[in-house]
Amino acid sequence: MGNNRIYRLLARVVDIKPGEERLAVAFFLYFFLITFPYHIIKPIRRATLLSSLGEEYLPLAYLLAAVFTGFVVAMHTQIQSRISMPILTRASLQFFSLTALLFWALQPQEETAWIPLVFWVWTNIMVVVLMAHFWLTVHTIMNPREYRRLVGLFVSGGILGGTAGGLVTSLLAKTVFSDYLLLISSGLLFACIFVIKVILELSKQRLSSAQKSNSSTPPLKTDTPKIGFKESFNTVRRSRYLLLIAAIVMLTMIVSTLIDFQYTTVVHENIQGKQDLTAFFGLFNACLMVFAFLLNLLMTSRIIKNFGIKVTLLLYPIVLFLGSIGIGIAPLLGFGLFLKGSDKSLSYSLNQSVREILYIPLDPDIKNRAKVFIDTFLNRMGKAIGSLILMALLHFSLGLNAISLISCILILVWILLNLKVSREYVTTVKQNIKLKWGRADKAVTDILDIDHTKLVFDTLESRNRSSVLYAMHMYDLLQQDKLTPDIKRLISQKSDELQAVSLSDMFNAEGATWFPEMGDELSQDALRSDIQEIMSLDAYQQVMKLHAEHVMEASKKTEIEKMEIAKAVGMMDTDARMLEILSPLIYDDSPEVARYAIESAAKLKITEHIPAIIHKLGHPLNQEDAVSALSKFGESAIPTLKNYLRDSHKPIELKQALVTALARIGSRDATEVLLKELDRKTSGLDTEIIDALDKIRSEDPHAHISQKSIKRKTLLVIKSYCRDFLKLQGLKPGKKEDEIRIPLQRQQTVDFMNIFKLLGLFYSHEDIRKAYQNLKTGTPDSMAYAVEMMDNTLKKDLRDLILPLIEDLSSSEREKKFRQLIKSLD
């Protein structure tokens, strides 16, 4: 009951699924208990340095923090390679809790010059280590879709902790309790250890449940891989994607350092005294966190969901660019507060969330190695470079105007890199989903020359049926230069003696075989030339015509004789006298005779034969032969195919075969015919035409296909899919309802497949196919990556329609969204 109440409460503001509430709350508390003490310590640190040393020591503090943090990170990396992450996380919390007590004890000596600098460095090290542990834990447990839905809640916990820390500091800074602020921070860090324990227990339970439902779910990694600094550096160096992230992190830190100095300078010019500074910094941080909290809780997930990674990445630097221009023109307290407020509120909300999303598609081992270098070492290096820039500018007595100019230049580079990394992110997501299968027809044609294989089998089969057919098949092999040594050996295998029949007197002389045995010496070129010369003779054609007419008139002539004639016609020239006999042979009742006649018609490509070939599309045994023949006619067959396709009196089975033939032709004109037929609401061929267009696109990724027609059909299929779902939801269990339910479920399956085939016609065909296959048969993680890829690939109008179909939603949520979709499509 308690969990249900928590779920219902969270579901009002967060897109959370049943069963996720306990883990989500635990991560919320984890981040809260890190940021609460940090935002108590942070204003104390800044006020102590300013009151003791002044703002001119800020660049030195930045530099020392960067150097020593880098050194600690290197040591931490070595320790991390030897200790599991859960143990290291708890040990770090214990260490920082105890050292906070130590600094509390040293407060009376804080006027000593080294103490404010050491305190500054310690604070930086603490937040870097604890934040790194938090995000590594999140990435280990969450998949991309879970993270995207719940990141707003996690980050809100951190922002709320920062708000609480700032308010407590502001309220207590001018009271007698100000000396106990560090003591409070120490206790909060120690309490976080118990939250870590709860998270690990919940993640184990979650993994156990997932493995029971899906045996392919990978085990949770609780041990950190052995990572060295050199290995981390090499991991980043070898990846263009990681190099872009690294460059962005460095630029972010450099700009943030410059902004921090500008802000601190204008504040110190207006406010004096340690307690006043501590109270102001605490109050400002609290207000900043409240704004960031509301932005993150109410807007971050929506911005990322509605505008995608690309736009979200650009918002942060664009706002800072405008703020830097403002403070450069007028270095006033208001501009300083706006600039710092924009930096931190967006950093804690949008930037933090979207930057962590960039790591999600990476392999966990690569991710862990990269984050060690990027989020720790490069983070500090960026601050070090920022501090050196400040030192150089102060050395030459250049003020806030010059700092703003440099900030603007760096931000422009940052924006350019964000555009590049958003494209690389989508590419990286795609690498996490694999193509499980291709089109069966394309797979066959890619590895097998069907016509050649068929000819070889016909040659072998004809040896025992007709020496004439055998000879003509051999001639075809010669004509196509396919009579390879392997084929010769295959065909030359011993067989029963061939019996000469029918046309033997035209191809044999005194019982001698017209075609030499394969072991004989043979000039293939000479043979081809001789046969072509003989068949072009008028006398030969006249004799052949008379014989063919005799065979056609004689009712008792065998099927073999007709097959021989049908084959022989295909070897003639297009102006040969006996071509008129071909159409009757195509119409012949014998499938074998019709097949040879169809093949001959395909060789000759005389359009008068097309209607006869189309007639054979209705005969199951000759349908494939007819489709293949029509595809060989190419463009010349399209007008006739179009007319037959538009004829409402033709049977649907014939039209389906016509669509297949047009797909085999695959030309622009064939595509246009298919698109126009798809636009017809009464064609009844939607599935066949969509599959035909999918075949054309799979074979030619650059095929021209009208996006307007395809998009219109996509919307109609989506609407049909949603309506069928709602009909299914309204059905009750029972045999009578099953008669309605089963056809609806089958149609939904077809519609879902058709939606993705249609999307593949104007987006990357391979990417859309991979997404479909992983959504249908993938693991939970590969399904999540497929949704993520679609989310970042589709334009907003289609994305809003497709995501409800593929996201992990409850039946009630899906029903609600489908009703909204239908209403928007009406």
Side-chain angles (χ1 to χ4, degrees):
M1 288 294 293
N3 288 343
N4 289 336
R5 284 197 295 270
I6 295 172
Y7 167 73
R8 287 196 296 270
L9 179 64
L10 292 176
R12 294 176 182 176
V13 291
V14 180
D15 186 10
I16 191 170
K17 305 298 179 187
E20 295 176 341
E21 60 274 2
R22 293 174 64 192
L23 190 61
V25 170
F27 272 118
F28 179 93
L29 291 174
Y30 182 5
F31 211 8
F32 177 87
L33 290 173
I34 291 174
T35 56
F36 194 153
Y38 172 65
H39 282 84
I40 292 175
I41 296 168
K42 185 179 178 181
I44 297 174
R45 175 192 70 169
R46 192 179 296 273
T48 300
L49 183 68
L50 290 176
S51 61
S52 301
L53 304 175
E55 66 267 15
E56 60 269 18
Y57 275 82
L58 274 173
L60 177 61
Y62 297 148
L63 182 61
L64 289 175
V67 171
F68 279 97
T69 303
F71 175 72
V72 169
V73 165
M75 290 181 57
H76 179 272
T77 301
Q78 296 300 318
I79 296 171
Q80 186 179 350
S81 66
R82 294 174 174 82
I83 301 176
S84 70
M85 182 56 69
I87 294 174
L88 186 58
T89 301
R90 289 193 291 265
S92 298
L93 287 165
Q94 291 169 356
F95 170 78
F96 288 114
S97 177
L98 291 173
T99 48
L101 285 176
L102 178 61
F103 280 109
W104 173 69
L106 291 173
Q107 280 186 115
Q109 287 80 37
E110 65 184 16
E111 294 299 325
T112 306
W114 64 269
I115 291 181
L117 291 172
V118 171
F119 187 43
W120 187 285
V121 172
W122 173 84
T123 305
N124 270 45
I125 293 171
M126 179 192 74
V127 71
V128 167
V129 171
L130 296 186
M131 288 291 183
H133 288 174
F134 172 79
W135 289 114
L136 281 172
T137 304
V138 169
H139 291 154
T140 301
I141 295 172
M142 297 289 172
N143 69 42
R145 301 308 293 180
E146 291 170 334
Y147 177 88
R148 185 178 273 230
R149 286 188 291 100
L150 300 176
V151 64
L153 180 65
F154 301 162
V155 177
S156 294
I159 293 172
L160 191 60
T163 304
L167 285 175
V168 167
T169 304
S170 177
L171 292 172
L172 300 182
K174 296 182 180 181
T175 69
V176 294
F177 297 103
S178 62
D179 292 339
Y180 297 98
L181 288 171
L182 284 175
L183 191 62
I184 294 171
S185 300
S186 176
L188 291 169
L189 290 171
F190 190 79
C192 191
I193 296 171
F194 298 98
V195 177
I196 294 291
K197 184 177 179 181
V198 172
I199 288 174
L200 293 174
E201 288 298 323
L202 290 174
S203 65
K204 289 178 182 177
Q205 294 174 15
R206 182 172 180 269
L207 176 66
S208 176
S209 176
Q211 287 177 330
K212 288 178 182 178
S213 61
N214 191 331
S215 59
S216 61
T217 303
L220 177 69
K221 294 185 178 181
T222 55
D223 292 335
T224 304
K226 311 304 180 184
I227 305 171
F229 178 81
K230 184 177 180 181
E231 185 180 5
S232 301
F233 169 74
N234 287 332
T235 299
V236 174
R237 182 177 59 83
R238 288 191 291 262
S239 168
R240 171 183 166 82
Y241 181 58
L242 289 174
L243 284 173
L244 286 170
I245 295 176
I248 289 169
V249 168
M250 276 196 64
L251 284 172
T252 305
M253 291 300 104
I254 294 171
V255 172
S256 183
T257 301
L258 300 182
I259 288 172
D260 187 74
F261 180 81
Q262 291 173 296
Y263 155 73
T264 306
T265 299
V266 296
V267 168
H268 198 214
E269 288 174 355
N270 291 272
I271 302 173
Q272 303 294 323
K274 179 185 175 183
Q275 288 187 336
D276 289 338
L277 285 168
T278 302
F280 172 81
F281 287 132
L283 180 61
F284 178 73
N285 287 342
C287 294
L288 192 63
M289 291 298 103
V290 169
F291 176 73
F293 173 76
L294 295 174
L295 175 65
N296 191 73
L297 186 63
L298 302 177
M299 296 299 295
T300 296
S301 294
R302 292 181 182 179
I303 291 172
I304 295 174
K305 182 176 181 179
N306 292 330
F307 298 101
I309 298 294
K310 183 177 180 179
V311 174
T312 309
L313 280 169
L314 295 177
L315 287 177
Y316 180 36
I318 287 174
V319 171
L320 295 188
F321 182 80
L322 297 175
S324 295
I325 292 175
I327 201 170
I329 295 172
L332 303 175
L333 180 61
F335 278 120
L337 296 181
F338 170 79
L339 187 58
K340 182 66 176 180
S342 300
D343 179 28
K344 287 306 173 186
S345 62
L346 293 174
S347 175
Y348 292 151
S349 55
L350 282 179
N351 188 61
Q352 181 69 55
S353 300
V354 78
R355 197 172 81 187
E356 294 302 325
I357 287 176
L358 295 178
Y359 287 110
I360 294 291
L362 297 171
D363 179 87
D365 291 339
I366 293 176
K367 183 190 308 176
N368 290 336
R369 290 196 297 268
K371 285 183 71 68
V372 167
F373 182 74
I374 294 174
D375 286 3
T376 51
F377 177 77
L378 282 187
N379 190 304
R380 298 306 102 194
M381 186 176 176
K383 285 193 172 290
I385 293 173
S387 66
L388 292 174
I389 292 173
L390 288 170
M391 287 180 177
L393 293 173
L394 294 176
H395 176 74
F396 291 103
S397 300
L398 297 174
L400 299 184
N401 294 343
I403 296 173
S404 294
L405 177 61
I406 292 175
S407 293
C408 288
I409 294 172
L410 293 174
I411 290 171
L412 289 175
V413 178
W414 177 6
I415 290 172
L416 178 63
L417 293 176
N418 275 349
L419 291 171
K420 291 186 176 182
V421 82
S422 64
R423 290 192 292 268
E424 288 292 325
Y425 169 77
V426 177
T427 301
T428 307
V429 168
K430 292 175 184 177
Q431 293 170 357
N432 283 278
I433 53 177
K434 306 300 181 185
L435 189 66
K436 296 177 178 291
W437 66 85
R439 286 187 62 97
D441 49 7
K442 189 173 186 298
V444 172
T445 56
D446 283 346
I447 62 174
L448 187 66
D449 184 337
I450 295 176
D451 287 339
H452 176 223
T453 305
K454 187 177 177 182
L455 179 57
V456 171
F457 276 99
D458 283 345
T459 305
L460 289 170
E461 192 266 346
S462 66
R463 290 190 64 174
N464 294 322
R465 300 183 71 179
S466 164
S467 61
V468 176
L469 282 177
Y470 173 66
M472 287 189 284
H473 288 318
M474 292 297 296
Y475 176 66
D476 277 347
L477 288 170
L478 285 173
Q479 281 281 74
Q480 298 174 24
D481 288 325
K482 296 291 179 67
L483 197 57
T484 64
D486 289 336
I487 297 299
K488 286 182 180 181
R489 283 194 295 271
L490 176 65
I491 295 174
S492 298
Q493 298 298 317
K494 294 292 184 180
S495 63
D496 295 334
E497 183 180 353
L498 297 173
Q499 301 297 320
V501 294
S502 183
L503 297 179
S504 58
D505 54 332
M506 297 185 184
F507 286 92
N508 296 340
E510 297 181 358
T513 304
W514 171 77
F515 201 96
E517 287 298 319
M518 296 305 299
D520 298 345
E521 292 295 326
L522 176 66
S523 171
Q524 296 183 7
D525 290 339
L527 181 59
R528 274 198 294 261
S529 177
D530 290 345
I531 293 176
Q532 288 170 357
E533 183 177 349
I534 292 170
M535 299 189 79
S536 65
L537 294 174
D538 288 342
Y540 174 78
Q541 292 187 22
Q542 181 64 31
V543 171
M544 287 291 292
K545 182 181 179 182
L546 291 172
H547 181 78
E549 291 173 349
H550 174 68
V551 169
M552 297 298 292
E553 290 172 1
S555 59
K556 295 184 178 180
K557 292 296 182 180
T558 67
E559 181 183 54
I560 293 293
E561 292 172 300
K562 291 184 180 180
M563 291 164 58
E564 293 168 349
I565 294 170
K567 178 72 175 177
V569 172
M571 303 171 71
M572 303 289 180
D573 292 331
T574 55
D575 58 352
R577 298 180 181 182
M578 63 181 296
L579 294 185
E580 61 191 38
I581 203 69
L582 192 56
S583 287
L585 289 169
I586 295 173
Y587 282 109
D588 196 273
D589 292 335
S590 165
E592 288 288 338
V593 173
R595 177 168 72 87
Y596 277 102
I598 291 169
E599 289 175 356
S600 292
K603 290 180 182 179
L604 296 169
K605 294 184 176 64
I606 299 174
T607 56
E608 286 80 0
H609 296 138
I610 291 176
I613 297 173
I614 291 176
H615 173 75
K616 283 297 180 180
L617 289 173
H619 295 250
L621 294 178
N622 286 125
Q623 186 179 87
E624 176 56 32
D625 302 312
V627 168
S628 177
L630 291 170
S631 69
K632 290 180 173 120
F633 273 86
E635 294 287 318
S636 61
I638 292 176
T640 309
L641 297 179
K642 178 181 176 181
N643 292 334
Y644 272 78
L645 200 57
R646 287 295 182 93
D647 189 341
S648 59
H649 297 96
K650 299 300 180 185
I652 191 70
E653 294 79 12
L654 179 66
K655 291 186 175 184
Q656 289 171 347
L658 290 171
V659 169
T660 303
L662 286 165
R664 297 269 186 94
I665 295 171
S667 67
R668 184 165 182 167
D669 287 344
T671 303
E672 288 299 321
V673 171
L674 291 170
L675 287 172
K676 288 179 181 178
E677 192 65 20
L678 189 64
D679 279 337
R680 293 178 61 199
K681 295 181 180 179
T682 58
S683 72
L685 296 168
D686 285 1
T687 297
E688 289 77 13
I689 294 174
I690 291 170
D691 184 67
L693 293 170
D694 179 73
K695 173 180 170 59
I696 291 171
R697 187 61 183 267
S698 69
E699 294 178 352
D700 180 10
H702 304 292
H704 175 76
I705 299 175
S706 171
Q707 292 192 12
K708 185 177 180 181
S709 298
I710 295 303
K711 187 173 181 181
R712 184 164 54 245
K713 179 57 68 173
T714 304
L715 299 182
L716 290 174
V717 179
I718 291 172
K719 189 175 180 180
S720 171
Y721 182 88
C722 294
R723 282 180 170 169
D724 286 347
F725 176 85
L726 296 178
K727 289 177 184 177
L728 286 168
Q729 292 298 104
L731 293 177
K732 297 179 180 179
K735 280 189 176 182
K736 188 175 181 180
E737 284 76 9
D738 284 346
E739 295 177 2
I740 303 173
R741 181 182 293 106
I742 294 173
L744 283 175
Q745 288 173 339
R746 288 174 180 166
Q747 186 59 45
Q748 271 214 302
T749 300
V750 172
D751 283 345
F752 190 77
M753 176 181 64
N754 285 342
I755 289 168
F756 278 82
K757 286 183 177 180
L758 287 165
L759 290 174
L761 298 178
F762 52 99
Y763 289 100
S764 168
H765 187 268
E766 182 178 354
D767 292 342
I768 298 297
R769 188 194 300 169
K770 287 197 295 187
Y772 169 76
Q773 292 176 3
N774 282 272
L775 286 168
K776 294 296 288 183
T777 62
T779 64
D781 278 349
S782 68
M783 292 170 68
Y785 281 119
V787 176
E788 182 72 8
M789 189 201 76
M790 297 293 288
D791 197 352
N792 286 277
T793 299
L794 303 179
K795 292 182 179 179
K796 188 178 185 305
D797 56 344
L798 273 175
R799 184 172 67 237
D800 292 342
L801 297 174
I802 296 297
L803 289 184
L805 276 61
I806 61 178
E807 285 188 309
D808 183 18
L809 302 173
S810 65
S811 293
S812 59
E813 289 175 314
R814 202 179 299 279
E815 182 176 347
K816 180 180 178 181
K817 286 184 178 290
F818 280 13
R819 291 189 186 279
Q820 292 172 347
L821 288 183
I822 292 172
K823 187 176 180 181
S824 68
L825 291 171
D826 282 337

